[in-house]
């Protein structure tokens, strides 16, 4: 009985194939959009996690003032860090492998007729090791260069390409502001981050040279701390904060004039942003399912009107009302499921395309696919029930009179 009902439903659907396709188009678009959005969103979240893991899950970043991630403005009025602070952190805390000082500025690098505005980072070799940078060619800073503040530099891949094309510029001299800087090394490219920022667009130079010739002060903008894996990052953060409060003579009850951020916080924040955007886009896409359901109800009502005489004949020869109701309800459900299947295939295809365009992993979620498919069936049941009930309640005599 059920198989015969299913066969009749397919026969009715393919009798008007083009009309049936237009009817389920809303379901197709809704299911495809939801699957594509969530697939790309989950791929972005995985990419964020992978990018953070590249930097190390045991990394802490210390900046003066309140960090914007914690809800406060960046504190330019708070005292900056000094070089000795990084050394003290490394010496005083047993779990700290490396504590690298960082100074930042933005300037134009010039070589011959080429120039490029980039980030200038003053640091030492500890940062190269802690941030997992690899040397593509040349070398890192020597102890004498770091101590004397000699103007030498290591280039990120983007800066090398903009100034020198594909040449290896070791030994060449670039100009940053009024400073002539010898290129001694090239860093291996890390490419773009999850949100499109270029991780290779910077120039490294010895921190003392940066302070004297670029920044014009002895301030340190950030201390990049790499902890051992023998300690939980939350405990490491607490002990680091206690040491910094002591070093900066912050009295009990006073607020910190610095901020310590770990990679887990950054990953959570970025993943949260991705999840919110994915949820909003998916909610908008889900509206198409509602529109598709209305389309199915509309076409089923038309179908009942067109097939009134057929319904009257079935009822007159002994068909029960529930059998007529089941026939039209199954027809609506089959329509929705066909739209759901097409939507799933289209959504996965769009997900692959989006993942390739955004350079994120293709990460389909089977549970979301099953939910979308089940929801399409639910749409068929909900919006197909009213037309099916209307067909089942037709008076056989009145139906047979209908031409």
């Amino acid at each position: 009985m059920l198989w015969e009902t299913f066969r009749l439903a397919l026969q009715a659907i393919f009798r008007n194939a083009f009309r049936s396709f237009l009817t389920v188009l809303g379901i197709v678009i809704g299911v495809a959009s939801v699957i594509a959005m969530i697939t790309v969103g989950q791929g972005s979240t995985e990419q964020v996690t992978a990018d953070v893991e590249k930097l190390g899950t045991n990394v802490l970043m210390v900046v003066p003032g309140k960090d914007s991630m914690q809800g406060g403005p960046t504190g330019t009025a708070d005292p900056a860090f000094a070089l000795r602070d990084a050394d003290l952190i490394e010496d005083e805390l047993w779990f700290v492998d490396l504590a690298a000082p960082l100074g930042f500025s933005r300037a134009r690098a010039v070589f011959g007729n080429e120039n490029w505005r980039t980030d200038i980072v003053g640091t030492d070799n500890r940062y190269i090791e802690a941030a997992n940078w690899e040397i593509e060619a040349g070398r890192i800073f020597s102890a004498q260069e770091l101590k004397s503040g000699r103007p030498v530099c290591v280039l990120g891949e983007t800066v090398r390409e903009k100034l020198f094309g594909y040449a290896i510029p070791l030994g060449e001299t670039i100009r940053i502001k009024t400073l002539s800087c010898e290129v001694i090394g090239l860093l291996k490219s890390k490419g773009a981050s999850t949100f499109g920022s270029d991780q290779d667009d910077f120039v490294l130079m010895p921190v003392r040279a940066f302070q004297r010739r670029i920044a014009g002060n002895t301030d340190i903008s950030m201390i990049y701390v790499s902890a051992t894996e023998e300690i939980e990052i939350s405990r490491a953060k607490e002990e680091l904060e206690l040491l910094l409060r002591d070093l900066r003579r912050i009295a009990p009850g006073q607020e910190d004039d610095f901020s310590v951020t770990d990679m887990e916080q950054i990953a959570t924040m970025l993943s949260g942003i991705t999840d919110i955007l994915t949820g909003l886009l998916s909610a908008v896409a889900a509206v198409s399912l509602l529109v598709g359901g209305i389309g199915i109800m509309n076409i089923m009502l038309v179908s009942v009107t067109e097939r009134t005489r057929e319904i009257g004949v079935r009822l007159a020869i002994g068909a029960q009302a529930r059998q007529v109701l089941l026939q039209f309800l199954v027809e609506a459900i089959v329509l929705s499921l066909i739209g759901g299947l097409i939507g799933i295939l289209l959504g996965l295809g769009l997900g692959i395309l989006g993942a390739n365009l955004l350079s994120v992993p293709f990460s389909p979620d089977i549970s979301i696919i099953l939910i979308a498919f089940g929801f399409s069936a639910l749409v068929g049941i909900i919006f197909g029930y009213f037309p099916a009930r209307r067909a089942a309640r037709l008076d056989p005599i009145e139906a047979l009179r209908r031409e």
Side-chain angles (χ1 to χ4, degrees), residues 37 41 195 270-284:
M37 290 297 110
F195 291 94
L270 295 177
S271 297
I273 293 172
T274 302
D275 291 343
I276 290 171
L277 291 175
T278 301
L280 289 174
L281 292 172
S282 298
V284 172

Side-chain angles (χ1 to χ4, degrees), residues 49-125:
T49 304
D51 287 345
V52 170
E53 288 177 351
K54 287 180 184 177
L55 298 175
T57 54
N58 59 334
V59 169
L60 297 166
M61 291 177 291
V62 187
V63 296
K66 279 291 180 184
D67 184 49
S68 57
M69 284 181 61
Q70 298 183 0
T74 302
T76 54
D78 293 305
F81 291 111
L83 283 174
R84 67 177 182 277
D85 293 325
D87 295 330
L88 285 170
I89 289 172
E90 199 169 288
D91 293 338
E92 295 292 332
L93 297 176
W94 64 270
F95 56 83
V96 173
D97 281 335
L98 299 165
L102 294 168
F104 300 100
S105 184
R106 187 86 177 161
R108 191 168 297 278
V110 180
F111 177 77
N113 294 325
E114 303 296 334
N115 68 88
W116 181 250
R117 188 167 179 80
T118 186
D119 292 322
I120 312 300
V121 182
T123 187
D124 56 30
N125 296 329

Side-chain angles (χ1 to χ4, degrees), residues 108-352:
R108 191 168 297 278
V110 180
F111 177 77
N113 294 325
E114 303 296 334
N115 68 88
W116 181 250
R117 188 167 179 80
T118 186
D119 292 322
I120 312 300
V121 182
T123 187
D124 56 30
N125 296 329
R126 289 177 289 186
Y127 172 68
I128 297 175
E129 182 178 349
N132 297 322
W133 284 102
E134 298 180 30
I135 295 294
E136 180 78 17
R139 60 179 177 84
I140 57 178
F141 307 123
S142 69
Q144 183 61 33
E145 288 167 344
L146 291 168
K147 184 176 180 179
S148 64
R150 183 185 168 194
V152 294
C153 56
V154 176
L155 305 184
E157 175 62 20
T158 299
V159 179
R160 180 195 69 82
E161 183 180 337
K162 296 296 181 181
L163 297 183
F164 300 96
Y166 294 100
I168 303 298
L170 298 179
E172 299 287 357
T173 299
I174 64 173
R175 180 166 54 83
I176 301 172
K177 293 186 175 180
T178 59
L179 175 66
S180 296
C181 186
E182 180 187 352
V183 179
I184 63 168
L186 303 173
L187 294 174
K188 191 173 182 178
S189 174
K190 285 188 177 181
S193 68
T194 304
F195 291 94
S197 61
D198 191 346
Q199 299 182 87
D200 303 317
D201 189 7
F202 65 93
V203 174
L204 295 182
M205 65 170 49
V207 62
R208 295 183 187 277
F210 172 85
Q211 290 176 329
R212 294 171 188 168
R213 308 293 293 276
I214 301 296
N217 57 52
T218 59
D219 294 345
I220 294 299
S221 305
M222 177 190 291
I223 300 176
Y224 196 91
V225 180
S226 175
T228 65
E229 295 181 357
E230 299 171 5
I231 187 171
E232 290 185 3
I233 199 66
S234 58
R235 183 185 164 198
K237 182 179 178 181
E238 290 175 5
E239 294 196 23
L240 177 56
E241 288 173 342
L242 289 174
L243 175 63
L244 289 171
R245 287 182 65 87
D246 184 51
L247 292 176
R248 294 166 78 84
R249 295 182 174 83
I250 300 174
Q254 286 185 328
E255 287 190 2
D256 295 339
D257 60 3
F258 61 88
S259 178
V260 181
T261 305
D262 61 70
M263 287 300 172
E264 186 175 344
Q265 284 179 276
I266 296 175
T268 301
M269 181 196 70
L270 295 177
S271 297
I273 293 172
T274 302
D275 291 343
I276 290 171
L277 291 175
T278 301
L280 289 174
L281 292 172
S282 298
V284 172
V287 175
S288 296
L289 288 173
L290 178 62
V291 175
I294 295 171
I296 287 176
M297 184 171 68
N298 181 54
I299 206 65
M300 290 305 297
L301 287 171
V302 172
S303 181
V304 169
T305 302
E306 289 179 345
R307 295 157 62 187
T308 299
R309 188 172 180 80
E310 173 193 331
I311 297 168
V313 170
R314 292 195 66 193
L315 291 171
I317 62 176
Q320 297 179 358
R322 62 182 180 84
Q323 293 174 324
V324 174
L325 184 144
L326 183 63
Q327 177 187 347
F328 281 87
L329 189 58
V330 167
E331 191 173 322
I333 294 172
V334 170
L335 264 176
S336 295
L337 292 180
I338 290 174
L341 286 172
I342 297 173
I344 288 171
L345 296 175
L346 181 59
L348 291 175
L350 291 174
I352 293 172

